[in-house]
Amino acid sequence: MPGLFSRRAAGQGTGEDLASLSHVRAQSRWRRRAIIGAIYVSVVALCASLDPDSGVHGNSRVFESAEFSLYTLRQNIFMRRHDDVVRWVQQQIVLVPLTDATFDKDWGMIPGPPAPRDYQAKVVRELTRAGVKGIVFDMVFEGATENAKDKDDAFAKALRASNRSIIGSWMTEEDGVLQKPLAEFGKSARVASLLAPQTPEQIVIDRIPPVVASSSGADLIPSLSVAGAMQGAGLGTAPIQRAPDGWKIGDFFLPVNKRSGTFTITFWGKPANSNGEGFFPSVPYEQIYEGAVDDDFYKKNRFFKDKIALIGDITKLGNDFRLTAVGQMAGLEIQAHATATVLAAMKKNQPFLREAPRWLNVLMIFLLAGFACHFAASWPVHRAALAMIVLLLGYAALNVWLFTDHALYLHFIAPSAAVFLTTLGVLAERILSEERQKTWMRGLLQRYVSPQVADYLVAHPEKLRLGGEMVTATVLFSDIRGFTALSRRFEAQVIVGLLNEYLQAMTNVIFAYDGTLDKYMGDGIMVVFGAPEPYEDHARRAVAVAIGMQEAMEKLRENWGARGLPMLDIGVGVATGPMISGNMGAIQRREMTVIGDIVNLASRIEGLNKELGTKLLIHESTFAVVQAEIEARGPIAEHVKGHDDDVVVYEVFGWKQAEG
């Protein structure tokens, strides 16, 4: 049986059309793969180029702020995860800030700013008497006090007597010149560097060089935080030596970032609030000067005992505030967190936070975008979207786990953006491609089936695959009476014109009831109802089309008669029953068709019209469905070829009443 969608006499067969469809779809697949590959490569390249290449800051500001916020979140999770270390760190340091209140003239406490050096001397003596392990000045004492050498001498004497003090020095990054403190102070206390990297491109302070050297290399000075931690860990006089990827301080190894030569600060808590309450305990400078160390509270709780006291200026005039990974913070607090980072590594074996190497961050972008590309291209849209969410959540969990448990800082924003952009791009391409393909398929299919059936096949492309399924449907055959003899009497142009008018009128009726046009067989037509799109009233639709074809034929006859053209007539046969529906054939040519005994029977019934002198015959299987609605004559038992028993048919004249 020739296939569904093939036209013999009236045009090109769709065996070729379906082969063309397969070819077009194959070409479309390769084109899609090329486009998806281009999307993937472009997204990976874009995200890798925009990914910050150093800490939470770098050459790009696109992802910087988002990475910055998530860094803060990870840091907070880290603090909860290592609560025991956090509590220990908090007990190792006390801040002694000089605030705006310190120099309030109405209170009459401390002259300045800056605080006079004899006042500094008293504070050193008070803290030493309280039992602190180290006194760290986040200050530089460069020149001599004008007309007050006795104040400088008092400060130098206090530093020598304490033998646990550290004072700051400046070294400019441009020329490597060390700005040393006053010589007598440098002899009385250890000197440390206050250098922290900060440039217009790198405004967030989250790392510090542990050791700096002058351009000549003669001066090798630890940072203030490293010197303070050394004092707290009992390594105050330990030698400092260069080592591969870091520094050796006695037996302790301090690793650094290979590119920047810095270590990353672990921020153990949030910045101090407007009331001066922050992570580390704080006692105002003026209270220390006034003898607070003798207060019952401090003495009873041994508050200062074995702590590192950091002294620094946090006044508005001093303007020593910087942006950090956890927010705006005073320089004194930054030094405290940096000191605690090194001290925790020395005393508690707490690993330094390491930034993942550049290649690993790029690899994450590459891999995650690859997974997203695969999911978006291969899976249903809702599953692809769910996979993207699961992928991001999984990477977030991995990212936090590496940060909190292995001190490895892996970037999150750029890989996540790669997942989102790849998924979005591939899904957009997929939707556009599928819409183009559906439009093309719909246009092709509507040449053979009604728009509704075409939409069904576009929505269920599996129906076009090779194979078949058993269905119950109705088949209609029609044929023009005496067409062969007529074609010998008239010119081909006249015959073709008549045939085209006839086929167009019949096709309009067929599509009005969602019939599937199986084929044109010269002057014959085969139509299927209920396959490939299933619907329950296929028998009634087939009868409606058969009656409609007869009515359409009457109108054509009137028109042809008025034009002096030959009169034509048709016979129609209809049968309902089980049949196999599917796309069948070879790789080179395949046809959507129905096959089975009931299909052959419908063709034989159409042929009975010539013998019985009738126009529309339906099989008893179809009659059983529509008998209450039609005017019919029968039953009529006739023998047909291929059947041993007589076949029961009914002649249909029309509807009992106007079809509503």
Side-chain angles (χ1 to χ4, degrees):
M1 182 66 65
L4 191 68
F5 303 157
S6 68
R7 294 181 298 174
R8 299 290 170 84
Q12 184 76 21
T14 43
E16 289 82 0
D17 286 327
L18 290 176
S20 173
L21 175 60
S22 298
H23 177 68
V24 169
R25 294 182 71 179
Q27 284 186 323
S28 177
R29 281 195 297 270
W30 282 107
R31 183 170 61 250
R32 283 194 64 220
R33 288 172 183 171
I35 295 174
I36 289 171
I39 292 172
Y40 170 67
V41 171
S42 300
V43 168
V44 168
L46 175 67
C47 292
S49 65
L50 295 179
D51 185 36
D53 61 2
S54 180
V56 294
H57 42 72
N59 297 329
S60 166
R61 298 294 178 87
V62 177
F63 295 146
E64 185 176 322
S65 60
E67 193 71 60
F68 180 80
S69 299
L70 288 179
Y71 183 92
T72 304
L73 176 62
R74 281 170 286 196
Q75 190 72 52
N76 291 336
I77 297 173
F78 170 86
M79 289 186 291
R80 294 187 181 93
R81 181 76 176 79
H82 299 277
D83 185 59
D84 55 336
V85 179
V86 171
R87 287 198 305 271
W88 179 87
V89 161
Q90 196 172 32
Q91 297 169 2
Q92 307 306 306
I93 294 174
V94 59
L95 303 182
V96 182
L98 291 94
T99 67
D100 292 316
T102 303
F103 302 103
D104 192 322
K105 292 181 172 55
D106 293 334
W107 291 16
M109 291 188 177
I110 308 294
R117 289 174 180 171
D118 55 339
Y119 280 69
Q120 303 279 23
K122 183 177 181 184
V123 168
V124 169
R125 289 194 297 270
E126 290 293 310
L127 290 172
T128 302
R129 188 162 59 86
V132 297
K133 189 175 286 186
I135 303 172
V136 181
F137 282 93
D138 184 20
M139 302 176 182
V140 178
F141 301 94
E142 292 183 74
T145 304
E146 187 176 354
N147 301 321
K149 187 175 182 305
D150 56 329
K151 295 182 179 181
D152 292 344
D153 291 341
F155 185 41
K157 181 179 178 181
L159 293 175
R160 284 195 301 272
S162 172
N163 195 31
R164 65 194 71 185
S165 299
I166 300 167
I167 57 176
S169 64
W170 286 109
M171 180 180 289
T172 59
E173 292 183 281
E174 290 78 11
D175 53 19
V177 176
L178 182 66
Q179 306 296 324
K180 295 182 179 181
L182 195 64
E184 55 189 290
F185 299 153
K187 294 176 182 178
S188 304
R190 280 184 290 279
V191 177
S193 168
L194 297 179
L195 177 65
Q198 185 180 19
T199 67
E201 295 78 25
Q202 188 170 307
I203 60 172
V204 177
I205 292 182
D206 66 342
R207 59 200 60 223
I208 288 179
V211 180
V212 296
S214 63
S215 56
S216 65
D219 295 304
L220 200 63
I221 308 231
S223 67
L224 197 72
S225 54
V226 170
M230 290 171 63
Q231 183 67 30
L235 299 174
T237 58
I240 299 175
Q241 298 175 315
R242 292 184 185 273
D245 301 328
W247 297 89
K248 284 280 288 184
I249 302 174
D251 294 330
F252 174 74
F253 174 68
L254 197 159
V256 297
N257 182 287
K258 291 182 179 180
R259 286 176 295 164
S260 62
T262 60
F263 71 88
T264 301
I265 302 171
T266 298
F267 289 95
W268 305 90
K270 297 179 180 180
N273 57 27
S274 58
N275 296 323
E277 298 170 348
F279 175 77
F280 293 104
S282 175
V283 181
Y285 181 92
E286 61 273 19
Q287 292 186 20
I288 300 293
Y289 180 81
E290 294 291 335
V293 297
D294 291 325
D295 288 352
D296 289 341
F297 171 80
Y298 294 121
K299 292 181 69 174
K300 181 178 180 180
N301 292 285
R302 300 168 61 86
F303 184 82
F304 295 98
K305 182 67 174 175
D306 294 330
K307 283 184 171 64
I308 302 169
L310 271 77
I311 305 173
D313 184 348
I314 62 170
T315 62
K316 293 179 181 178
L317 181 64
N319 194 31
D320 186 20
F321 293 88
R322 301 291 182 267
L323 185 61
T324 73
V326 292
Q328 193 82 359
M329 186 176 285
L332 180 66
E333 284 187 277
I334 296 174
Q335 293 290 0
H337 286 281
T339 301
T341 300
V342 180
L343 187 61
M346 289 178 169
K347 298 287 286 184
K348 298 298 245 183
N349 294 320
Q350 180 66 34
F352 286 92
L353 184 61
R354 297 168 294 123
E355 184 182 358
R358 176 69 173 165
W359 67 264
L360 184 55
N361 285 315
V362 173
L363 179 63
M364 289 296 102
I365 295 173
F366 180 85
L367 290 177
L368 292 177
F371 282 122
C373 186
H374 170 72
F375 297 146
S378 306
W379 291 11
V381 174
H382 67 282
R383 289 182 60 193
L386 180 61
M388 180 188 74
I389 295 172
V390 171
L391 192 63
L392 289 176
L393 291 176
Y395 181 62
L398 172 66
N399 192 283
V400 171
W401 177 70
L402 290 175
F403 190 97
T404 58
D405 286 42
H406 296 276
L408 180 64
Y409 169 38
L410 192 63
H411 291 182
F412 182 80
I413 295 301
S416 299
V419 169
F420 178 77
L421 292 176
T422 301
T423 301
L424 189 65
V426 173
L427 287 181
E429 187 283 332
R430 179 175 167 181
I431 291 171
L432 292 175
S433 176
E434 289 178 356
E435 283 302 314
R436 286 194 301 268
Q437 191 175 66
K438 286 179 179 179
T439 300
W440 188 88
M441 288 178 63
R442 190 178 289 108
L444 172 65
L445 293 170
Q446 284 180 358
R447 294 160 57 188
Y448 311 100
V449 297
S450 69
Q452 292 84 352
V453 176
D455 289 339
Y456 174 80
L457 290 173
V458 169
H460 300 82
E462 69 278 1
K463 295 290 185 180
L464 296 174
R465 295 173 186 161
L466 279 176
E469 59 179 342
M470 184 64 71
V471 299
T472 297
T474 301
V475 182
L476 177 152
F477 281 87
S478 73
D479 187 54
I480 298 177
R481 295 289 172 259
F483 185 79
T484 303
L486 187 68
S487 64
R488 289 195 291 265
R489 293 166 45 203
F490 291 88
E491 294 181 0
Q493 186 174 358
V494 173
I495 296 300
V496 170
L498 286 172
L499 185 60
N500 286 340
E501 285 188 58
Y502 163 73
L503 292 176
Q504 183 63 62
M506 298 303 108
T507 300
N508 290 341
V509 176
I510 293 166
F511 284 0
Y513 290 91
D514 294 335
T516 300
L517 182 58
D518 183 283
K519 58 188 169 289
Y520 296 143
M521 303 171 294
D523 60 319
I525 302 174
M526 175 182 171
V527 188
V528 181
F529 299 85
E533 180 185 14
Y535 40 76
E536 294 182 359
D537 59 342
H538 49 83
R540 188 182 187 283
R541 295 195 195 198
V543 172
V545 168
I547 295 173
M549 291 173 77
Q550 295 290 347
E551 294 172 349
M553 195 66 202
E554 288 299 320
K555 293 180 181 179
L556 285 174
R557 285 167 58 84
E558 292 176 8
N559 180 274
W560 290 339
R563 292 157 54 190
L565 296 173
M567 297 291 100
L568 300 177
D569 211 343
I570 61 171
V572 180
V574 180
T576 300
M579 62 193 72
I580 297 174
S581 172
N583 196 9
M584 307 175 195
I587 296 176
Q588 295 86 350
R589 179 182 175 87
R590 59 185 67 173
E591 297 173 333
M592 193 74 179
T593 188
V594 289
I595 60 175
D597 183 64
I598 202 71
V599 179
N600 295 326
L601 180 60
S603 178
R604 304 297 183 203
I605 291 173
E606 186 277 321
L608 283 176
N609 284 294
K610 297 177 184 178
E611 301 177 18
L612 300 177
T614 57
K615 293 183 178 181
L616 200 172
L617 293 174
I618 65 174
H619 187 251
E620 60 181 338
S621 59
T622 307
F623 179 78
V625 178
V626 299
Q627 58 182 321
E629 301 179 75
I630 60 173
E631 296 286 352
R633 177 177 68 89
I636 305 169
E638 291 290 332
H639 178 75
V640 298
K641 184 179 178 180
H643 284 257
D644 296 332
D645 299 328
D646 288 346
V647 173
V648 177
V649 296
Y650 292 81
E651 181 183 10
V652 177
F653 302 108
W655 301 105
K656 286 185 176 180
Q657 57 184 7
E659 187 182 11

